[in-house]
Amino acid sequence: MQFLDFEKPLEDLNNQLEKIKAIAEKNHVDMSASVKELEASLEQTRKHIYENLTPWQRVQLSRHPERPYTNYYISRVCNKFTELFGDRNVADDKAIVGGFAEIDGEPVMIIGHQKGTNTKMRQLRNFGMANPEGYRKALRLMKLAEKFDRPIVTLIDTPGAYPGLEAEERGQGEAIARNLFEMVNLRVPVICIIIGEGASGGALGIGIGDRVVMLENTWYTVISPENCSTILWRSWDFKVQAAEQLHLTSRDMSGFGLVDGVLPEPVGGAHSQPEAMAASLKEYVLKTLTELKKINPDKRIEQRIEKFSKMGFYEEV
Amino acid sequence: MSSTWFRRIKKGISTETKEKKEAPDGLWHKCPECRTTVTQTALKENLYLCPNCNYHNRINAIEYFDILFDKGEYKELFDNIAPKDELHFVDVKPYAARLKSAQKQTGLLDAMTVGVGEVEGKKLVVACMNFNFIGGSMGSVVGEKIARGIDHCIKHKLPFMIISKSGGARMMESAFSLMQMAKTSAKLTQLAHAKLPYISLMTDPTTGGVTASFAMLGDINIAEPKALIGFAGPRIIKETIKKDLPPGFQRSEFLVEKGFLDFVINRKDLKRKLSDVMDWFGK
């Protein structure tokens, strides 16, 4: 178990608990009363911390090294999965995965950003930062789903689209723009779920859906707090303030009507009980698919356009 | 010894202000590229191009409308849409104060101006970004004006043009700014379904969320010479790859080579070409 800086009280309690358990085992004494007390205190403290998370702490949670990624959810949510590779043009982008899936017998196309779980894999997955071919692969799979009338589920978790030289040469901007344009008019239901980081165009590039929801401890906005701090404060040190000013939490985003809802996470974050998180994500997808399938495709597209067209604040003077 | 001849005897400047003979402010313009000096009048007559090196100086909506529309006549649309600081965003300066000072400095309400007029007798709606308003950044007003511009085109069956000139998203509007990418792309699909032409002209600079949405979605994507066009800015790419960028990287001519622009157009030929293109579209 890895603890984040704000989880220090939990780490201390946890250490105490382990010590007492070790003593009890070594000396064959019954310390179950103390263990129980400590466990209760641990739960209490955890609850208290998680009820009062700051925006920056949620950003930290969204990047927790043990946080479940797309492939984990696929393995828990889908009873069948066939991964499909390549954009048919340049390459296969490992930062975005996708393929044919079945959720409780329901065929869907599932697509998501994928981060690595160790140093080597993190490099292979390019830290979840996709190149244009990643967005083009995603679009290819979405058009395939549309052709065979299968709903689409996207899982979003990226620190941003990759700002590299080749990415620019191959049209990163065009690739994302094309996805926005095409996703608006997909004739099948589209559900988008932010499972970790929702950074800017890189997230939006697979993020146009009939329902866009965020897991509780994720963030979604136009720029990462660190980059926002660097640009507006001209220093790396204001990421905490930037996180607050950006209003990037799931609660803020849902309050603004920029996302359609929040999926609660277990106390302690998605990584503390990944199985439970996956189960509730699956339940949400199945329930929402039933809802969306009742709407006829033209109407669905109309509602999608209307939803995004309403976003923004301004006044008429 | 001789230097004493030039020594100042009286201290300070004694010429009275009203007697000073100074060139009026901004009478001359120095090309930032080749340092050639030219009068403002001559520069304007040359459509703000350097007569020596063809450098395309940055201009705003008013100047573009003057160049594009017949006799410089046009009607501004949706000029009553003003920005709002819904998030009460504060960095080193409150967003509200930034807005106020930008409005005072430019006389504009926000970074987008929409006009409808005739180009060689053919009606066209042009949405043009003003770089002098917070770096032409894309906030809610920019998105809303594009949306309404598109509605206007659909209602009156007119072609649409966007002149982009922007650093990208407006961070002070946070996710609302991000969602303008989705909003404008969604509205452009409606224009496409109405089979009305959309011409995207990119000018220096066009980066970030603007490139990754409406700027790259034209029926034709065109650009002024040597304009910086990209998703990530050159500084960020340099930091990422830790190498110098090749000359001409992310410039218009580079994008033509890579296949992302239909052609590069000199500002002097813009109106003529636009008219030809509109003829071809038949709208």
Side-chain angles (χ1 to χ4, degrees), chain A residues 136 161-166 168-178 180-182 184-185 198-204 208 220-223 227-228 230-234 241-242 245-248 253 256 258-259 304-305 308-317, chain B residues 80-92 95 98 109 140-141 144 148 169-183 185-190 192-193 211-213 216-217 229-232 235-237 240-241 245-246 249-250 254 258 260:
Chain A
R136 292 182 183 129
Y162 187 58
L165 186 128
E166 287 87 3
E168 292 293 319
E169 285 183 342
R170 295 198 287 267
Q172 187 73 284
E174 194 276 344
I176 293 172
R178 185 65 46 205
L180 306 183
F181 189 88
E182 295 292 339
V184 167
N185 282 288
S200 199
L204 195 63
I208 307 289
Y220 190 13
T221 191
V222 71
I223 189 166
N227 287 336
C228 181
T230 313
I231 295 172
L232 290 182
W233 280 267
R234 301 191 182 281
Q241 286 94 320
Q245 292 299 315
L246 286 167
H247 293 82
L248 42 59
M253 288 294 286
F256 296 145
L258 297 181
V259 297
R304 214 181 280 157
I305 293 176
F308 285 101
S309 299
K310 275 202 299 221
M311 292 179 183
F313 52 81
Y314 53 87
E315 53 191 358
E316 296 184 47
V317 293
Chain B
N80 64 331
I81 304 175
K84 227 172 119 185
D85 177 23
E86 189 85 357
L87 301 175
H88 307 293
F89 194 101
V90 181
D91 49 271
V92 290
Y95 177 42
R98 282 185 197 271
L109 286 175
S140 301
V141 173
E144 181 63 18
R148 292 198 192 191
R170 188 174 296 169
M171 275 170 285
M172 295 77 91
E173 291 192 20
S174 193
F176 285 95
S177 162
L178 177 66
M179 294 306 163
Q180 301 313 306
M181 293 169 64
K183 175 172 176 166
S185 305
K187 292 302 291 185
L188 282 172
T189 67
Q190 292 183 322
H193 283 146
T211 305
S213 60
M216 278 292 167
L217 292 172
I229 302 164
F231 176 64
R235 197 176 47 83
I236 295 174
I237 301 168
T240 308
I241 63 168
L245 301 171
F249 181 66
Q250 291 186 309
F254 172 90
K258 296 296 170 191
F260 291 99

Side-chain angles (χ1 to χ4, degrees), chain A residues 1-70:
Chain A
M1 180 71 108
Q2 286 195 39
F3 292 94
L4 297 168
D5 54 5
F6 63 87
E7 291 179 312
K8 184 82 173 75
L10 296 180
E11 189 172 12
D12 293 345
L13 284 167
N14 198 59
N15 288 345
Q16 276 183 46
L17 189 63
E18 308 256 298
K19 245 182 235 161
I20 287 180
K21 279 182 179 166
I23 291 168
E25 201 169 311
K26 200 177 163 196
N27 304 329
H28 303 286
V29 286
D30 180 18
M31 297 189 80
S32 59
S34 311
V35 168
K36 223 176 188 176
E37 202 178 301
L38 265 174
E39 275 175 347
S41 159
L42 191 65
E43 271 330 291
Q44 198 64 36
T45 314
R46 193 191 312 270
K47 217 178 140 210
H48 180 76
I49 290 175
Y50 275 79
E51 271 170 3
N52 297 288
L53 288 173
T54 66
W56 173 249
Q57 288 167 345
R58 290 194 200 270
V59 172
Q60 287 177 287
L61 277 170
S62 76
R63 299 170 177 166
H64 197 288
E66 288 159 9
R67 199 172 169 85
Y69 300 142
T70 292

Side-chain angles (χ1 to χ4, degrees), chain B residues 8 12 55 67 128 146 154 157 175 179 194 203 247 255 265 270 278 283:
Chain B
R8 198 185 275 274
Y55 175 78
I67 292 168
C128 182
I146 290 177
I154 294 173
K157 297 196 167 46
M179 294 306 163
T203 69
L255 269 88
I265 184 84
L270 180 61
M278 286 165 74
K283 310 270 172 174

Side-chain angles (χ1 to χ4, degrees), chain B residues 151-162:
Chain B
D151 286 340
H152 186 89
C153 288
I154 294 173
K155 192 173 166 197
H156 300 282
K157 297 196 167 46
L158 296 174
F160 189 46
M161 177 181 190
I162 299 179

Side-chain angles (χ1 to χ4, degrees), chain B residues 104-167:
Chain B
K104 208 174 150 198
Q105 246 173 43
T106 60
L108 302 162
L109 286 175
D110 208 298
M112 179 67 93
T113 311
V114 185
V116 58
E118 288 183 359
V119 176
E120 299 196 350
K122 293 165 291 244
K123 255 191 160 180
L124 175 70
V125 176
V126 182
C128 182
M129 304 187 83
N130 300 293
F131 193 73
N132 57 354
F133 196 98
I134 318 187
S137 54
M138 171 174 57
S140 301
V141 173
V142 168
E144 181 63 18
K145 282 197 169 183
I146 290 177
R148 292 198 192 191
I150 290 169
D151 286 340
H152 186 89
C153 288
I154 294 173
K155 192 173 166 197
H156 300 282
K157 297 196 167 46
L158 296 174
F160 189 46
M161 177 181 190
I162 299 179
I163 304 178
S164 295
K165 188 185 289 288
S166 168

Side-chain angles (χ1 to χ4, degrees), chain B residues 205-249:
Chain B
T206 299
T207 58
V210 169
T211 305
S213 60
F214 55 83
M216 278 292 167
L217 292 172
D219 289 312
I220 57 166
N221 296 331
I222 59 180
E224 285 188 343
K226 293 187 182 161
L228 176 77
I229 302 164
F231 176 64
R235 197 176 47 83
I236 295 174
I237 301 168
K238 221 175 131 176
E239 277 169 20
T240 308
I241 63 168
K242 300 191 172 60
K243 264 190 268 178
D244 279 334
L245 301 171
F249 181 66

